[in-house]
PDB file of all heavy atoms in Angstrom:
ATOM      1  N   THR Q 320       4.631  12.012  18.361  1.00 87.00           N
ATOM      2  CA  THR Q 320       4.034  12.597  17.172  1.00 87.00           C
ATOM      3  C   THR Q 320       2.948  13.604  17.499  1.00 87.00           C
ATOM      4  O   THR Q 320       2.783  14.622  16.758  1.00 87.00           O
ATOM      5  CB  THR Q 320       3.497  11.486  16.225  1.00 87.00           C
ATOM      6  OG1 THR Q 320       2.549  10.694  16.955  1.00 87.00           O
ATOM      7  CG2 THR Q 320       4.630  10.626  15.677  1.00 87.00           C
ATOM      8  N   GLY Q 321       2.230  13.371  18.528  1.00 88.00           N
ATOM      9  CA  GLY Q 321       1.210  14.328  18.977  1.00 88.00           C
ATOM     10  C   GLY Q 321       1.890  15.683  19.390  1.00 88.00           C
ATOM     11  O   GLY Q 321       1.363  16.721  19.073  1.00 88.00           O
ATOM     12  N   ALA Q 322       2.922  15.556  20.123  1.00 80.00           N
ATOM     13  CA  ALA Q 322       3.661  16.702  20.581  1.00 80.00           C
ATOM     14  C   ALA Q 322       4.250  17.479  19.380  1.00 80.00           C
ATOM     15  O   ALA Q 322       4.284  18.725  19.323  1.00 80.00           O
ATOM     16  CB  ALA Q 322       4.804  16.345  21.534  1.00 80.00           C
ATOM     17  N   GLN Q 323       4.659  16.705  18.357  1.00 80.00           N
ATOM     18  CA  GLN Q 323       5.175  17.322  17.185  1.00 80.00           C
ATOM     19  C   GLN Q 323       4.100  18.144  16.457  1.00 80.00           C
ATOM     20  O   GLN Q 323       4.336  19.274  15.924  1.00 80.00           O
ATOM     21  CB  GLN Q 323       5.763  16.230  16.214  1.00 80.00           C
ATOM     22  CG  GLN Q 323       6.622  16.781  15.111  1.00 80.00           C
ATOM     23  CD  GLN Q 323       7.250  15.622  14.313  1.00 80.00           C
ATOM     24  OE1 GLN Q 323       6.602  14.657  14.059  1.00 80.00           O
ATOM     25  NE2 GLN Q 323       8.503  15.787  13.937  1.00 80.00           N
ATOM     26  N   LEU Q 324       2.878  17.550  16.419  1.00 85.00           N
ATOM     27  CA  LEU Q 324       1.746  18.238  15.783  1.00 85.00           C
ATOM     28  C   LEU Q 324       1.402  19.514  16.516  1.00 85.00           C
ATOM     29  O   LEU Q 324       1.136  20.605  15.927  1.00 85.00           O
ATOM     30  CB  LEU Q 324       0.565  17.308  15.698  1.00 85.00           C
ATOM     31  CG  LEU Q 324       0.463  16.445  14.444  1.00 85.00           C
ATOM     32  CD1 LEU Q 324      -0.718  15.493  14.596  1.00 85.00           C
ATOM     33  CD2 LEU Q 324       0.303  17.253  13.175  1.00 85.00           C
ATOM     34  N   VAL Q 325       1.320  19.403  17.850  1.00 82.00           N
ATOM     35  CA  VAL Q 325       0.992  20.573  18.670  1.00 82.00           C
ATOM     36  C   VAL Q 325       2.029  21.691  18.475  1.00 82.00           C
ATOM     37  O   VAL Q 325       1.653  22.862  18.337  1.00 82.00           O
ATOM     38  CB  VAL Q 325       0.923  20.159  20.151  1.00 82.00           C
ATOM     39  CG1 VAL Q 325       0.769  21.383  21.058  1.00 82.00           C
ATOM     40  CG2 VAL Q 325      -0.283  19.239  20.392  1.00 82.00           C
ATOM     41  N   ALA Q 326       3.275  21.289  18.456  1.00 76.00           N
ATOM     42  CA  ALA Q 326       4.354  22.322  18.323  1.00 76.00           C
ATOM     43  C   ALA Q 326       4.274  22.911  16.899  1.00 76.00           C
ATOM     44  O   ALA Q 326       4.406  24.119  16.744  1.00 76.00           O
ATOM     45  CB  ALA Q 326       5.751  21.627  18.479  1.00 76.00           C
ATOM     46  N   ALA Q 327       3.944  22.143  15.917  1.00 77.00           N
ATOM     47  CA  ALA Q 327       3.820  22.666  14.557  1.00 77.00           C
ATOM     48  C   ALA Q 327       2.724  23.659  14.440  1.00 77.00           C
ATOM     49  O   ALA Q 327       2.864  24.773  13.844  1.00 77.00           O
ATOM     50  CB  ALA Q 327       3.622  21.474  13.570  1.00 77.00           C
ATOM     51  N   TYR Q 328       1.521  23.324  15.040  1.00 78.00           N
ATOM     52  CA  TYR Q 328       0.432  24.290  14.941  1.00 78.00           C
ATOM     53  C   TYR Q 328       0.636  25.505  15.838  1.00 78.00           C
ATOM     54  O   TYR Q 328       0.131  26.587  15.540  1.00 78.00           O
ATOM     55  CB  TYR Q 328      -0.859  23.565  15.344  1.00 78.00           C
ATOM     56  CG  TYR Q 328      -1.474  22.745  14.222  1.00 78.00           C
ATOM     57  CD1 TYR Q 328      -1.393  21.341  14.238  1.00 78.00           C
ATOM     58  CD2 TYR Q 328      -2.110  23.350  13.177  1.00 78.00           C
ATOM     59  CE1 TYR Q 328      -1.941  20.584  13.227  1.00 78.00           C
ATOM     60  CE2 TYR Q 328      -2.655  22.586  12.148  1.00 78.00           C
ATOM     61  CZ  TYR Q 328      -2.565  21.263  12.190  1.00 78.00           C
ATOM     62  OH  TYR Q 328      -3.159  20.489  11.160  1.00 78.00           O
ATOM     63  N   SER Q 329       1.373  25.352  16.903  1.00 74.00           N
ATOM     64  CA  SER Q 329       1.506  26.485  17.844  1.00 74.00           C
ATOM     65  C   SER Q 329       2.507  27.563  17.396  1.00 74.00           C
ATOM     66  O   SER Q 329       2.374  28.672  17.750  1.00 74.00           O
ATOM     67  CB  SER Q 329       1.981  25.939  19.213  1.00 74.00           C
ATOM     68  OG  SER Q 329       3.227  25.298  19.131  1.00 74.00           O
ATOM     69  N   VAL Q 330       3.454  27.158  16.548  1.00 64.00           N
ATOM     70  CA  VAL Q 330       4.507  28.075  16.086  1.00 64.00           C
ATOM     71  C   VAL Q 330       4.316  28.477  14.662  1.00 64.00           C
ATOM     72  O   VAL Q 330       5.000  29.380  14.196  1.00 64.00           O
ATOM     73  CB  VAL Q 330       5.933  27.543  16.301  1.00 64.00           C
ATOM     74  CG1 VAL Q 330       6.146  27.170  17.721  1.00 64.00           C
ATOM     75  CG2 VAL Q 330       6.173  26.328  15.396  1.00 64.00           C
ATOM     76  N   SER Q 331       3.430  27.796  13.921  1.00 55.00           N
ATOM     77  CA  SER Q 331       3.262  28.116  12.502  1.00 55.00           C
ATOM     78  C   SER Q 331       2.131  29.172  12.317  1.00 55.00           C
ATOM     79  O   SER Q 331       1.110  29.096  12.906  1.00 55.00           O
ATOM     80  CB  SER Q 331       2.903  26.853  11.707  1.00 55.00           C
ATOM     81  OG  SER Q 331       3.853  25.888  11.836  1.00 55.00           O
ATOM     82  N   PRO Q 332       2.409  30.173  11.501  1.00 53.00           N
ATOM     83  CA  PRO Q 332       1.397  31.173  11.281  1.00 53.00           C
ATOM     84  C   PRO Q 332       0.167  30.599  10.493  1.00 53.00           C
ATOM     85  O   PRO Q 332       0.394  29.724   9.641  1.00 53.00           O
ATOM     86  CB  PRO Q 332       2.120  32.248  10.429  1.00 53.00           C
ATOM     87  CG  PRO Q 332       3.219  31.461   9.761  1.00 53.00           C
ATOM     88  CD  PRO Q 332       3.650  30.435  10.728  1.00 53.00           C
ATOM     89  N   ILE Q 333      -1.005  31.086  10.764  1.00 50.00           N
ATOM     90  CA  ILE Q 333      -2.188  30.611  10.132  1.00 50.00           C
ATOM     91  C   ILE Q 333      -2.881  31.777   9.419  1.00 50.00           C
ATOM     92  O   ILE Q 333      -3.014  32.879   9.958  1.00 50.00           O
ATOM     93  CB  ILE Q 333      -3.192  30.010  11.126  1.00 50.00           C
ATOM     94  CG1 ILE Q 333      -2.495  28.824  11.856  1.00 50.00           C
ATOM     95  CG2 ILE Q 333      -4.452  29.624  10.463  1.00 50.00           C
ATOM     96  CD1 ILE Q 333      -3.369  28.207  12.901  1.00 50.00           C
ATOM     97  N   ASP Q 334      -3.177  31.564   8.143  1.00 49.00           N
ATOM     98  CA  ASP Q 334      -3.735  32.663   7.363  1.00 49.00           C
ATOM     99  C   ASP Q 334      -5.269  32.756   7.588  1.00 49.00           C
ATOM    100  O   ASP Q 334      -5.831  32.059   8.423  1.00 49.00           O
ATOM    101  CB  ASP Q 334      -3.452  32.484   5.861  1.00 49.00           C
ATOM    102  CG  ASP Q 334      -3.942  31.133   5.344  1.00 49.00           C
ATOM    103  OD1 ASP Q 334      -4.939  30.620   5.885  1.00 49.00           O
ATOM    104  OD2 ASP Q 334      -3.370  30.645   4.343  1.00 49.00           O
TER     105      ASP Q 334
END
Side-chain angles (χ1 to χ4, degrees):
T320 53
Q323 194 175 40
L324 271 174
V325 171
Y328 279 107
S329 62
V330 301
S331 299
I333 301 179
D334 58 25

